[in-house]
């Protein structure tokens, strides 16, 4: 069974940096796209960044130029480097992976438990 565990969140002042990590445990056939989402209080969950198995990346306009997503397939990990943080980046951040559990099963979405990022002004 695949589990995703996030780490690296916390409290930081505006202008500071944090690096989120999401590591998978368990076995699976293949990893396809990986992504980070966030959900602020009273708001819908939104896509922050994603990265394909080929390494192509996509960012929300609000974080472009400040956040960087990267992946390490050998370590079964995806990262989100967050620089120049703003109070509006405050949210619970979730990693999301599209994983094919076995060669004969369809790709499915897996989610981490979420980790709090708070940026103070």
């Amino acid at each position: 069974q695949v589990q995703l565990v996030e780490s690296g969140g916390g409290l930081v002042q505006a202008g500071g940096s944090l690096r989120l990590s999401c590591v998978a445990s368990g076995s699976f056939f293949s990893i396809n796209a990986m992504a980070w989402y966030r959900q602020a209080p009273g708001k819908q969950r939104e896509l922050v960044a994603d990265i394909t198995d080929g390494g192509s990346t996509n960012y929300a306009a609000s974080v472009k130029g400040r956040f960087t997503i990267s992946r390490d397939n050998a370590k079964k990990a995806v990262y989100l480097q967050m620089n120049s943080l703003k109070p509006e980046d405050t949210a619970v951040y979730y990693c999301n992976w599209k994983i094919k559990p076995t060669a004969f099963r369809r790709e499915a979405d897996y989610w981490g438990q979420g980790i709090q990022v708070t940026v103070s002004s």
Side-chain angles (χ1 to χ4, degrees):
Q1 187 166 350
V2 179
Q3 285 191 318
L4 304 180
V5 178
E6 296 121 338
S7 62
L11 173 65
V12 65
Q13 286 189 330
S17 298
L18 284 174
R19 186 184 190 228
L20 302 183
S21 299
C22 175
V23 179
S25 62
S27 62
F28 41 85
F29 179 72
S30 66
I31 310 168
N32 297 326
M34 299 173 170
W36 287 95
Y37 286 75
R38 67 186 181 187
Q39 187 166 18
K43 294 189 176 181
Q44 288 191 329
R45 191 172 296 189
E46 63 174 356
L47 176 67
V48 176
D50 60 27
I51 182 167
T52 68
D53 55 353
S56 297
T57 58
N58 174 58
Y59 296 92
S62 60
V63 308
K64 195 172 289 187
R66 299 187 298 121
F67 290 11
T68 303
I69 188 171
S70 60
R71 62 190 282 171
D72 187 333
N73 288 348
K75 294 184 178 180
K76 295 192 286 186
V78 63
Y79 308 99
L80 186 68
Q81 178 67 42
M82 305 185 293
N83 298 327
S84 302
L85 282 160
K86 304 175 182 180
E88 50 264 44
D89 294 318
T90 295
V92 177
Y93 284 70
Y94 299 88
C95 63
N96 165 266
W97 292 25
K98 299 190 183 301
I99 293 175
K100 201 172 182 186
T102 70
F104 307 103
R105 290 179 61 186
R106 291 189 297 181
E107 176 185 285
D109 277 307
Y110 290 79
W111 292 88
Q113 80 283 1
I115 191 163
Q116 179 69 44
V117 171
T118 303
V119 184
S120 63
S121 57

